[in-house]
Amino acid sequence: MRAAQPRSRQQTLSQRRRLIGSSCKLFFSNDPVKIVKAKGQYMYDEDGRQYLDCINNVAHVGHCHPDIVKAAHEQNQLLNTNSRYLHDNLVDYAERLSKTLPEKLCIFYFLNSGSEANDLALRLARQYTKHEDVIVLDHAYHGHLTSLIDISPYKFRNLEGQKEWVHVAPVPDTYRGLYREDHKDSVTAYADEVKNIIEHAHKRGRKIAAFFVESLPSVGGQIIPPAGYFQKVAQHVHKAGGVFIADEIQVGFGRVGKHFWAFQLQGEDFIPDIVTMGKPIGNGHPLACVATTKEIAEAFAATGVEYFNTFGGNPVSCAIGLAVLDVIEKEHLQAHATEVGNFLMKLLKEQQIKHPIIGDVRGCGLFIGVDLIKDQAERTPAPAEAEYLITRLKEEYILLSTDGPGRNVLKFKPPMCFNMEDAKFVVETMDKILTDMEKGCLNQQKTSTCST
């Protein structure tokens, strides 16, 4: 079989437009990048130009990490089959994961994607509680399956709307939310919003199955919930007979630095009932997991209906999952995330003082958001300016993107090997672009795209 001839970027783009659904969007759609290889925190286009990847939290320990590639290759040469056969990789991986979690989260289900994991978590919660309703945060996104679109305000507000069994609580955002940094007790105030939702649902004869939340809301704008919020919410949810589901698909596996799981930022006294994992778990290989308690797992099994996932927990996936854990430990990536993340936060906060367009810098480890605003008093989102900035950064070979309901929050979720020099390069480049933007605004007498 002859090797395919290299195609130009434009040829590939034309073929994609002809063959791939138009709802499958590209980064930088007006001028997309064609990536042909990657290594560590860097990606390379068809002309060999190097881009710094600041957003790919899936390639968790680095693109094409040799240890991950080796683990996959060696196991592929031996066996890949389903989990109905005994295999050491499955139980070894579950055992390793269990050592990273609180003791009561000791039963595991393996799947292929975060969406599958969240769908299973929803089934577990409903079977255990015998209730139907779910509370989620505004702007949340939990996956692309029908069941998850229904609990993702980020999606359902643009589709068929909110189902009667879905209840939406305000995001615990102390910068732009209902209760801000100057509130005397934002933790209790935000938790009481959930309590009020439960009470209102009960008056309508509804029963709560779960509070379903990203440990750090990502699509919602790189939000860091105030410590203690989960504990208070869990009290209200448990009292109502529901369970607490922590979605770690975006932020787990040491990204926050000081802890392995982002829910642990809330304090040692908080333990969710179900945890879902995906994206970084396999460093780009399709792998996901649900961890839960024996009680919830037994209630699920009591139906007598088998749960079987054809590729979930196969030997190759588990070999890769084990290799990811090994690399995190061997390369001290949690400590690295803390060190580099703190440095990046420091540099960004210095820019916040210099550039009024930066309203807030928030984050933990290598999960950081930079909130761009039009004015300091109203904190009005600046989406056009954010889009312009990331486009200019791409021209400087830096890949960054935006999130948040206003599409104005720059999101940093790079591979965990992202280093100090990378941080300096990004921030220095941002500084130059923001300075140019400010000069341009002055020269244009503050036209509609000026924010400062």
Side-chain angles (χ1 to χ4, degrees), residues 39-51:
K39 186 175 182 59
Q41 63 272 46
Y42 306 109
M43 304 180 85
Y44 301 87
D45 69 12
E46 75 277 20
D47 295 319
R49 291 173 293 209
Q50 176 179 286
Y51 291 80

Side-chain angles (χ1 to χ4, degrees), residues 170-210:
V171 180
D173 176 1
T174 57
Y175 177 69
R176 183 175 276 107
L178 282 176
Y179 311 108
R180 300 186 176 184
E181 68 274 9
D182 57 352
H183 192 277
K184 63 180 181 180
D185 187 0
S186 62
V187 170
T188 300
Y190 277 117
D192 282 349
E193 292 287 335
V194 176
K195 180 183 178 183
N196 293 338
I197 286 171
I198 293 170
E199 290 174 351
H200 182 67
H202 285 172
K203 287 177 183 177
R204 293 166 48 224
R206 312 294 309 184
K207 294 183 178 180
I208 304 300

Side-chain angles (χ1 to χ4, degrees), residues 5 28 73 239 299 371 436:
Q5 292 297 310
F28 313 107
H73 177 64
K239 186 178 179 181
D371 200 311
D436 287 346

Side-chain angles (χ1 to χ4, degrees), residues 82-83 110-113 116 306-314:
N82 66 63
S83 61
F110 291 103
L111 316 92
N112 309 294
S113 72
E116 285 189 1
E306 177 191 16
Y307 178 76
F308 174 65
N309 187 305
T310 303
F311 298 108
N314 68 70

Side-chain angles (χ1 to χ4, degrees), residues 294-321:
K294 285 184 179 179
E295 293 78 12
I296 292 174
E298 287 168 0
F300 190 58
T303 63
V305 177
E306 177 191 16
Y307 178 76
F308 174 65
N309 187 305
T310 303
F311 298 108
N314 68 70
V316 172
S317 293
C318 290
I320 290 169

